[in-house]
Amino acid sequence: MKTEIYLDYNATAPIRPGVEEAVLGALRVAGNPSSIHSFGRHARKTVETARAQVASLVGARPEKVTFNSGATEGNNSLLKAYHGQGICASAIEHPSMLGQDHDPQMIRVTPDGVIDLTHFEERISASPPPALVSVMMVNNETGVIQPVAEMIRLCHARGIKFHTDATQAAGRLPLDVFMLNADYMTLSSHKLGGPQGIGAMITTNDTPPPILLQGGGQERRYRAGTENVAGIAGFGQASAHAQEHLPAFQELVAQQSYLEQELKGLHNELVIFGENAPRVANTTCCAFPGLSAETLLIAYDLDGIAISSGSACSSGKVTQSHVLKAMGCADHLAKGALRISTGWATTREDIDHFLTITQRILKRVR
Ligand code: PMP
C-alpha cells in the first residue's frame, strides 16, 4: 500500500489526542448551554471548561474568549466593525482580513516577508490615523513571525487599536495576549489540531469584541447563536494538548533544518521564502526554479504526499500568492511555490519519505 504522508498542517492539522473523545462526549449528551436544567448545565460546563483551556493557551482571561466559527468570522467581524473608520492591514494578511476594497496603502513587507517597520510607522502616523491596525502574528504561507509586540507599542502610543490574527501562531509559539496587550486576537481551532468551523475572538483591556451576529444572548451577547458545544469541546482539548506539548513543537526546528538542507542537496537552486527571517518551526515555503507548483503537487499527490501550494484557501485553482508578490518574488518563482507544513504528529520517517519521493519526482520532471 502507498504510504500516505500529511504535510499540510497550515491548511488543517490532524486532530490531537483526546479531541475525538471530547467532541463525541459533547455530542452524546443533549443540552443547550442556555437551558437551566441539568442537561443544559452539563453543556454549559463543557463550554466553560473549554473556554478556560483556550484562554490558558493564549494567556487570556477566560471571560475575554468569545467563541465563533473561526478566524474568517473573527477577522470579518473586525472589518465590519471598523468599516469607514480606517483599517490599516499588512499586505500579507489572510484574505479574510483584507476586505473587498483593495487598499493600496497596505503595510509593506521586506523581501524576507517581515513587516517593513519604517513603512509601518509611516502608515500609523498618517493624518487622520487609522482606527485599527491588523498584522498577523505568523504568516500562513511562509511561516514568518512578525514583530507584533513592537507594533502594538507603536500603535498604542498613538491611541490606535491593534488586532493580530494568531491562527498560525497558537500552539506553535508561546502566546500571551495579556502581556502582548493586543486589543483583538483571532484564532481557528483546526490549525492547532481541533475541529474545523470553530474558533475564537480574544480581547484584552476594556475593548469589547465586535458584534457580527445578533439574536439570542449567547457569548455575553457578543456572538449570537447556540454554541457549537461539540466543536468548542474539541477546541478546548486541542488547546490543552497544544499547550502541554509546546516544548515538543520547538523540537521541529531540527526537523525543519534537516528538511531544508536535504532539499537543497536535491536541487542546489532551491529557494526558501523567508529563509533569513524568524520563522515557526513547522513551515517551509520553497520553489524549485523552473518547476511549476501545479505539476509538482499532482506528482506528490500521486505518490501519497499531501502538501500545498501557497495558501490552501486558494487551492484547487493555483493562483499566484499575494504574500509572495508582496515580498517582491518574481512571477516565475511564485508559480512554483510549495508549502510543506508539519506538526505534532510528523516524524523523521515522514520527512525521509517525503525526501525520497521528492528525489524521485525531480528525476522525472527535470
Ligand atoms: N487567518 C489565517 C492566518 C489563516 O491561515 C486562515 C486559514 N487559512 C484563516 C485566517 C481563516 O481560517 P478559517 O478558514 O478557519 O476561518
Side-chain angles (χ1 to χ4, degrees), residues 10-11 69-73 75 94 96 136 138-140 165 167-168 188 190-191 197-198 311-313:
N10 287 11
S69 66
T72 296
E73 180 182 325
N75 293 349
H94 186 266
S96 58
M136 63 193 354
V138 169
N139 183 264
N140 46 311
D165 177 344
T167 303
Q168 299 286 351
S188 260
H190 67 113
K191 308 288 184 176
I198 183 77
S311 171
C313 305

Side-chain angles (χ1 to χ4, degrees), residues 212-332:
L212 186 67
L213 300 177
Q214 284 170 314
Q218 292 89 354
E219 296 298 277
R220 305 175 325 284
R221 302 200 171 279
Y222 292 118
R223 205 281 189 171
T226 301
E227 295 89 340
N228 172 359
V229 180
I232 289 172
F235 185 13
Q237 169 60 26
S239 300
H241 187 274
Q243 186 170 8
E244 195 187 325
H245 292 84
L246 208 50
F249 194 88
Q250 302 321 312
E251 287 163 21
L252 291 178
V253 173
Q255 210 174 66
Q256 181 183 42
S257 53
Y258 169 70
L259 166 71
E260 294 181 359
Q261 284 318 309
E262 293 295 312
L263 281 176
K264 280 181 185 168
L266 295 179
H267 192 305
N268 56 12
E269 286 170 57
L270 178 84
V271 176
I272 298 173
F273 302 106
E275 186 172 13
N276 302 314
R279 275 182 298 147
V280 279
N282 80 314
T283 308
T284 297
C285 185
C286 60
F288 300 105
L291 299 181
S292 95
E294 215 163 351
T295 311
L296 291 171
L297 281 188
I298 294 166
Y300 277 115
D301 185 41
L302 288 172
D303 273 318
I305 306 249
I307 57 168
S308 207
S309 74
S311 171
C313 305
S314 58
S315 70
K317 51 181 171 83
V318 183
T319 47
Q320 207 165 321
S321 147
H322 71 287
V323 174
L324 297 180
K325 199 169 177 191
M327 289 163 68
C329 170
D331 285 4
H332 71 276

Side-chain angles (χ1 to χ4, degrees), residues 158-181:
R158 292 165 175 81
I160 302 169
K161 298 274 191 199
F162 194 93
H163 161 240
T164 189
D165 177 344
T167 303
Q168 299 286 351
R172 298 176 188 176
L173 295 176
L175 282 188
D176 194 321
V177 71
F178 189 71
M179 291 284 289
L180 205 57
N181 209 11

Side-chain angles (χ1 to χ4, degrees), residues 7-200:
L7 300 174
D8 202 9
Y9 278 63
N10 287 11
T12 284
I15 54 163
R16 288 180 183 262
V19 169
E20 189 175 341
E21 292 77 4
V23 170
L24 288 176
L27 284 174
R28 283 194 185 113
V29 185
N32 185 318
S34 300
S35 302
I36 54 166
H37 48 62
S38 65
F39 294 86
R41 292 200 305 278
H42 185 274
R44 169 60 52 206
K45 193 164 170 232
T46 302
V47 169
E48 297 315 320
T49 302
R51 198 187 306 282
Q53 289 167 318
V54 172
S56 174
L57 176 67
V58 299
R61 296 222 309 269
E63 65 272 24
K64 299 290 184 183
V65 174
T66 306
F67 287 118
N68 59 22
S69 66
T72 296
E73 180 182 325
N75 293 349
N76 268 237
S77 67
L78 284 166
L79 283 180
K80 301 242 157 67
Y82 282 88
H83 178 70
Q85 297 178 55
I87 304 175
C88 182
S90 86
I92 57 163
E93 293 308 294
H94 186 266
S96 58
M97 196 61 225
L98 288 174
Q100 298 300 317
D101 319 317
H102 178 73
D103 172 10
Q105 293 293 308
M106 283 185 296
I107 305 160
R108 292 198 286 260
V109 293
T110 66
D112 253 320
V114 187
I115 293 296
D116 173 343
L117 281 175
T118 310
H119 188 238
F120 174 83
E121 280 206 69
E122 255 170 49
R123 289 291 293 118
I124 62 170
S125 307
S127 176
L132 178 75
V133 167
S134 180
V135 180
M136 63 193 354
M137 197 166 280
V138 169
N139 183 264
N140 46 311
E141 296 186 35
T142 60
V144 171
I145 303 169
Q146 304 301 329
V148 166
E150 167 76 349
M151 290 186 272
I152 293 175
R153 202 180 50 74
L154 293 168
C155 282
H156 285 175
R158 292 165 175 81
I160 302 169
K161 298 274 191 199
F162 194 93
H163 161 240
T164 189
D165 177 344
T167 303
Q168 299 286 351
R172 298 176 188 176
L173 295 176
L175 282 188
D176 194 321
V177 71
F178 189 71
M179 291 284 289
L180 205 57
N181 209 11
D183 299 288
Y184 308 98
M185 179 185 276
T186 44
L187 299 174
S188 260
S189 141
H190 67 113
K191 308 288 184 176
L192 61 98
Q196 296 164 335
I198 183 77

